[in-house]
């Protein structure tokens, strides 16, 4: 299968430049791009998340960015090279 896979994600961060929905204003939308270096420091994985909704837990300050990422069909985010077990 040559098609990209679209995966729903929720990224939880302690800060953001995106504004959540509130006060009659719509949520900001946008893209968050990240790179992860492999455990061998010779490999890396870059991806972009398309964010469609931002929420804030006022009690904890955690900001949740909901959206999707697209990865080539042969790529897995759960890869032992990027997330080694102890």
């Amino acid at each position: 299968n040559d098609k990209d896979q679209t995966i729903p994600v929720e990224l939880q961060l302690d800060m953001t430049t995106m504004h959540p929905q509130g006060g009659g204003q719509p949520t900001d939308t946008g893209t968050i791009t990240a790179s992860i270096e492999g455990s061998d420091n010779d490999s890396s994985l870059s991806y972009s998340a398309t964010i469609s909704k931002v929420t804030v837990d006022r009690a904890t300050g955690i900001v949740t960015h909901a959206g999707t990422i697209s990865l080539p069909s042969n790529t897995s985010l759960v890869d032992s090279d990027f997330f080694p077990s102890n």
Side-chain angles (χ1 to χ4, degrees):
N1 186 350
D2 294 354
K3 295 181 77 175
D4 286 351
Q5 54 183 330
T6 301
I7 303 167
V9 294
E10 287 189 350
L11 304 173
Q12 294 184 334
L13 307 172
D14 61 353
M15 62 180 65
T16 186
T17 59
M18 295 182 170
H19 294 282
Q21 182 175 348
Q25 297 296 314
T27 185
D28 280 352
T29 60
T31 303
I32 296 176
T33 302
S35 294
I36 303 169
E37 288 194 25
S39 58
D40 60 7
N41 294 324
D42 288 332
S43 57
S44 65
L45 172 67
S46 295
Y47 65 90
S48 294
T50 302
I51 305 302
S52 57
K53 183 177 181 181
V54 180
T55 57
V56 176
D57 181 325
R58 301 282 180 207
T60 64
I62 299 294
V63 184
T64 301
H65 302 76
T68 59
I69 60 172
S70 292
L71 296 173
S73 60
N74 62 349
T75 304
S76 172
L77 287 179
V78 182
D79 182 323
S80 61
D81 186 43
F82 295 101
F83 301 101
S85 59
N86 292 334

